[in-house]
Amino acid sequence: MTRYGIIILAVVAILCGPGCGMKSPEDERRLAEKAFKDALSGKDCAREDFLAAEELLMKAREAVNAKRYDEAKKLFLSAKEKAEKIAAYVRSHPDECDPKVKKEKVAQRTAGVDDGAISEETLSSKDPNMKFPVIHFEFNEYAVREEDKPLLKIMAEWMVNFPAAAIRVEGHADERGSIDYNMSLGERRAQEVRDELMKLGVDAKRFQIVSYGEERPIASGQNEDAWFQNRRAEFVRVN
Amino acid sequence: MGLHFKYAVMFALLTALCGGTAHAQLKGEVRDGALVAYAIAAPAFVHSGDTTGELARALTETLRRDLDLTGYFQVLDERSFIEAPTVPVDKVNFKNWLTVGAKGLVKATLTGTDPIELEMQAFDVAGGKSILHKKYKASAKAIRKAPHGFVRDLVQALAGIRLKFLSSRIAFVEKEAKTYKLMVADFDGADATAVVTSDKILTLPGWSADGTHLFYTAYTTGEPHLYAVDIKSRKVSLVSDHPGLNTSASAAPDGKNIALRLSKDGNAEIYLMNLASKALTRLTSNIAIDTAPSFSPDGKEIAFVSNRSGNPHIYRLFVNDPARVERLTDQGKYNQDPDYAPDGRYIAFTGRDEFFMFDIFLFDLQARTISRVTQKQGKNENPSFSPDGALMVFSSDRTGKNGIWVTNLAGDRQRKIYGGTGEAITPSWSPEVTITQ
């Protein structure tokens, strides 16, 4: 009996290595925490993965506290994997994740789009034939961007100055994503624009809303500049 | 409905049903609908006279494509064949077919010009026995669809499974310059015809429960209203013209109701509409976008898309208790276009991966896992199950332009069925219907 007992102990020791199941997984913890630190810049642009990694890390620490070391080890490994994925995403998507690059990019294309004809300076809300501004949106977003609010202010002034005018707000999406969902995105964009104008004192009755989804792009090409131009709300006078 | 065509009814003669061994053979190799290499030889159809040469080639092609599409067969290359196709069925030397690795053999002969008589027979090569023997008589046009029925019956005989997709259609939208066409084709892309053509936007087709009508959204009046078109008579009727979006109809299996997306209350929500009374029941109530409904096969659930978590994800609601909503996908940030499988086990959807590519994925409702169907082959969107759940149709731009493709659920057998001059998008697979005319 004792001989068998020794053999079993020996086998367990060989299989597990020192401290198997009995020691806190410090190496795994260190690696996971380092990977998580490297993934911090993905907090916004890879938000869901980031939240998942954060949760895994939290659960792993809880497991350590409860001395469930095997479970903790697995959780640290998953957290590390998730964090590495986020870091890889951040590297391959500087447009979205690097705040500096993102800001430059937005400035560039805003300048590109508004170049010439339509900008706050060139619009006159006293001109009955004012060329209406075009409002642009971020990917998968329908909130009006701060930089477009001055354009809406002029549009509202124009509508106050010309109270007989009825306006159709046409919402559009870029070609990415489903045709079905993009029809709603276009609608929400047009609605948000209308709601902003209502806040500025324009009567809701003067608006019609229509979404064309991704069916009516104004720029061709499969790049962010074209997509940005296509994610838009336009004003059309209907009377 | 109208079987008033002269040769509409093909008469078939079933001489020998499956031998027990053959049945077990194919059945034993079916694993979760995965591909089975039942090697089959389909030599060129034999015809008498020059006039039917082209038809014989087309029929041979149809038979081989159908066998391939089922996923159950490995169609052997005819260049390896030893025995001439012209050898009559009673003179076949089965050793010649064993040598080229065939387990099964299909021989076919065409006679006459119009009507055409077509005789098809399938053999178990090892046993030298007939598995299926059928004769068809139909117009030169209608006879082109005879292989569909033969392959359906062959799979039924060998595996005991009815592949409904072999008598089904696919609808989609084809966009070219400023013209929109609502297209209907056979499941293999044959006989593609425009049932509605417009210079206004046509979008998001979905079949009626009986496969006789298509629901679709058209901007005929300038607003997105929902219409139904009878695909045979091409008669169009208005279904829904509430303010805002009227789109995305999914037919309830009872044929009496549809689920659809309306934004009449200011925000996209899913409603149930009784087709006879047009009475509406609102199913979702959320400030987020709720859209793209797809009925479960038992009619009790609806899969849909919502961005209530911030990004679009796949959810399901329970029709009798619509407040009970369950989120299904938690991977990725952009999941759309759910389609409920006919067996109720899977929901197919379009997802955007970490490289920002759009691909087809499956959510397994039993295992609660996601599997990937397409990868690294352009943009793949809008999956729709075949009526038997064996295949899915989707659009893909992998060849440059959007075309219509079908795939098995594993994704290792993807075939292009339609590529036109325009962009072919938003396919929808019909229920089982009669596709002969």
Side-chain angles (χ1 to χ4, degrees):
Chain A
M1 281 300 273
T2 42
R3 195 185 289 171
Y4 283 119
I6 289 163
I7 291 169
I8 288 166
L9 273 179
V11 168
V12 168
I14 290 163
L15 284 179
C16 295
C20 163
M22 288 178 281
K23 210 180 119 204
S24 173
E26 280 313 315
D27 288 352
E28 286 78 8
R29 179 182 194 136
R30 215 181 51 248
L31 289 171
E33 282 170 354
K34 185 182 175 301
F36 188 71
K37 225 168 150 184
D38 293 342
L40 280 174
S41 45
K43 193 174 176 180
D44 292 321
C45 65
R47 193 165 159 270
E48 293 197 358
D49 276 339
F50 185 84
L51 293 175
E54 203 172 41
E55 193 172 327
L56 283 166
L57 211 54
M58 202 179 73
K59 280 188 179 156
R61 285 169 184 152
E62 280 170 13
V64 169
N65 292 340
K67 298 200 163 44
R68 296 193 307 268
Y69 295 136
D70 281 349
E71 188 191 330
K73 187 171 163 178
K74 278 184 201 139
L75 286 164
F76 279 129
L77 286 172
S78 307
K80 175 173 164 272
E81 217 170 89
K82 201 84 186 171
E84 281 167 354
K85 204 177 129 197
I86 298 166
Y89 183 86
V90 169
R91 278 195 299 278
S92 56
H93 298 86
D95 284 16
E96 276 185 78
C97 302
D98 184 334
K100 239 167 65 191
V101 178
K102 191 176 174 182
K103 208 170 163 194
E104 272 168 30
K105 191 91 188 163
V106 168
Q108 259 175 29
R109 67 197 182 196
T110 307
V113 169
D114 290 350
D115 200 15
I118 305 174
S119 70
E120 303 161 51
E121 293 77 29
T122 58
L123 292 177
S124 164
S125 59
K126 296 208 168 62
D127 174 4
N129 300 314
M130 181 182 87
K131 194 169 176 199
F132 298 139
V134 178
I135 309 301
H136 293 92
F137 299 84
E138 296 298 335
F139 175 71
N140 194 30
E141 298 288 338
Y142 32 83
V144 174
R145 303 175 317 145
E146 283 305 317
E147 51 264 60
D148 280 347
K149 288 195 174 159
L151 294 172
L152 287 183
K153 194 162 164 275
I154 294 166
M155 188 65 199
E157 283 165 17
W158 186 89
M159 289 191 77
V160 169
N161 291 342
F162 300 96
I167 293 291
R168 184 170 68 233
V169 190
E170 301 180 342
H172 300 268
D174 70 27
E175 58 166 9
R176 296 173 300 164
S178 84
I179 301 229
D180 185 291
Y181 188 78
N182 280 342
M183 291 187 69
S184 269
L185 267 185
E187 183 175 63
R188 288 299 282 261
R189 285 170 180 160
Q191 288 171 342
E192 289 288 324
V193 163
R194 175 201 59 194
D195 293 352
E196 284 291 323
L197 293 173
M198 280 161 58
K199 277 187 219 158
L200 295 167
V202 186
D203 187 347
K205 289 194 202 74
R206 297 174 63 193
F207 294 102
Q208 296 173 13
I209 295 284
V210 68
S211 170
Y212 294 117
E214 61 180 85
E215 303 292 334
R216 293 191 175 173
I218 46 169
S220 59
Q222 299 192 320
N223 54 65
E224 180 49 35
D225 288 331
W227 292 328
F228 179 73
Q229 290 187 53
N230 292 332
R231 294 190 301 265
R232 69 198 193 278
E234 293 185 14
F235 301 105
V236 176
R237 188 168 175 172
V238 288
N239 61 349
Chain B
M1 29 158 245
L3 286 175
H4 54 276
F5 291 84
K6 217 181 242 172
Y7 304 107
V9 187
M10 297 178 175
F11 61 90
L13 183 71
L14 208 69
T15 53
L17 250 172
C18 49
T21 48
H23 196 145
Q25 248 177 0
L26 190 54
K27 203 173 191 176
E29 289 171 283
V30 178
R31 286 177 294 268
D32 290 337
L35 306 181
V36 176
Y38 180 98
I40 196 160
F45 284 34
V46 177
H47 63 100
S48 51
D50 293 338
T51 50
T52 50
E54 198 214 322
L55 181 62
R57 271 191 297 280
L59 283 165
T60 310
E61 210 38 58
T62 303
L63 174 70
R64 290 176 184 164
R65 271 177 74 100
D66 283 3
L67 289 166
D68 171 63
L69 270 180
T70 67
Y72 291 120
F73 302 101
Q74 178 207 346
V75 182
L76 296 173
D77 188 339
E78 64 182 330
R79 285 172 296 188
S80 69
F81 296 168
I82 300 163
E83 191 172 277
T86 45
V87 171
V89 286
D90 55 345
K91 298 272 177 0
V92 168
N93 181 353
F94 287 102
K95 273 189 191 147
N96 286 335
W97 297 104
L98 264 183
T99 308
V100 300
K103 268 178 127 169
L105 167 69
V106 179
K107 305 254 314 164
T109 311
L110 280 175
T111 49
T113 46
D114 209 346
I116 305 265
E117 287 183 49
L118 169 63
E119 187 168 357
M120 299 179 74
Q121 194 164 8
F123 298 92
D124 167 40
V125 170
K129 279 188 304 198
S130 175
I131 303 166
L132 184 67
H133 186 191
K134 287 198 138 193
K135 289 180 182 173
Y136 305 88
K137 186 175 179 181
S139 69
K141 188 170 184 294
I143 202 79
R144 285 174 180 263
K145 303 189 182 189
H148 301 330
F150 187 83
V151 172
R152 184 192 60 213
D153 294 343
L154 182 62
V155 172
Q156 178 86 53
L158 287 172
I161 290 166
R162 184 175 174 87
L163 287 179
K164 296 178 181 173
F165 84 78
L166 287 158
S167 38
S168 66
R169 292 194 176 92
I170 286 166
F172 55 93
V173 167
E174 187 168 1
K175 229 175 13 172
E176 188 172 14
K178 292 230 150 74
T179 303
Y180 285 81
K181 287 185 284 188
L182 183 58
M183 303 288 292
V184 172
D186 289 350
F187 69 91
D188 61 349
D191 277 352
T193 22
V195 292
V196 183
T197 303
S198 177
D199 58 356
K200 304 268 172 50
I201 298 167
L202 301 178
T203 190
L204 299 169
W207 289 91
S208 66
D210 63 0
T212 61
H213 289 71
L214 272 175
F215 297 106
Y216 65 100
T217 293
Y219 285 63
T220 315
T221 62
E223 302 277 332
H225 294 159
L226 188 71
Y227 300 86
V229 59
D230 180 323
I231 63 160
K232 202 157 195 181
S233 71
R234 312 272 166 92
K235 196 176 159 283
V236 172
S237 52
L238 177 69
V239 178
S240 178
D241 61 350
H242 292 284
L245 300 169
N246 298 259
T247 72
S248 322
S250 169
D254 65 10
K256 292 177 187 143
N257 296 287
I258 55 169
L260 75 167
R261 181 242 320 253
L262 300 175
S263 60
K264 68 185 185 67
D265 298 326
N267 174 36
E269 304 284 1
I270 292 164
Y271 294 76
L272 194 67
M273 176 189 270
N274 180 293
L275 286 168
S277 70
K278 301 279 165 81
L280 292 173
T281 313
R282 183 165 159 177
L283 297 177
T284 57
S285 278
N286 199 293
I287 55 156
I289 295 169
D290 295 311
T291 185
S294 171
F295 260 104
S296 66
D298 62 7
K300 290 179 180 162
E301 296 171 24
I302 292 171
F304 67 102
V305 171
S306 179
N307 71 340
R308 56 186 69 188
S309 70
N311 290 307
H313 274 290
I314 311 298
Y315 291 73
R316 66 170 162 176
L317 63 80
F318 298 81
V319 179
N320 289 329
D321 180 15
R324 185 178 157 208
V325 171
E326 185 190 353
R327 177 168 165 178
L328 299 175
T329 56
D330 53 10
Q331 290 178 39
K333 294 203 285 184
Y334 219 69
N335 298 319
Q336 301 172 321
D337 294 326
D339 190 54
Y340 226 117
D343 65 0
R345 175 159 178 186
Y346 299 101
I347 291 171
F349 62 95
T350 311
R352 193 182 65 163
D353 73 6
E354 61 271 35
F355 304 106
F356 276 24
M357 292 305 296
F358 290 92
D359 272 305
I360 309 299
F361 294 82
L362 284 177
F363 184 84
D364 182 335
L365 285 157
Q366 275 172 29
R368 313 293 291 191
T369 50
I370 290 174
S371 61
R372 187 169 190 145
V373 180
T374 60
Q375 191 159 20
K376 292 183 179 155
Q377 297 265 0
K379 184 164 82 172
N380 304 291
E381 295 177 294
N382 278 103
S384 171
F385 278 100
S386 64
D388 40 40
L391 301 171
M392 289 180 280
V393 65
F394 61 99
S395 69
S396 178
D397 70 352
R398 65 185 68 177
T399 56
K401 198 169 274 192
N402 274 300
I404 305 297
W405 291 67
V406 300
T407 180
N408 61 345
L409 305 201
D412 55 6
R413 191 173 280 244
Q414 300 182 24
R415 302 285 185 263
K416 188 176 188 175
I417 60 151
Y418 182 85
T421 47
E423 299 281 337
I425 50 172
T426 59
S428 175
W429 210 316
S430 81
E432 187 178 24
V433 289
T434 309
I435 61 171
T436 48
Q437 297 190 349

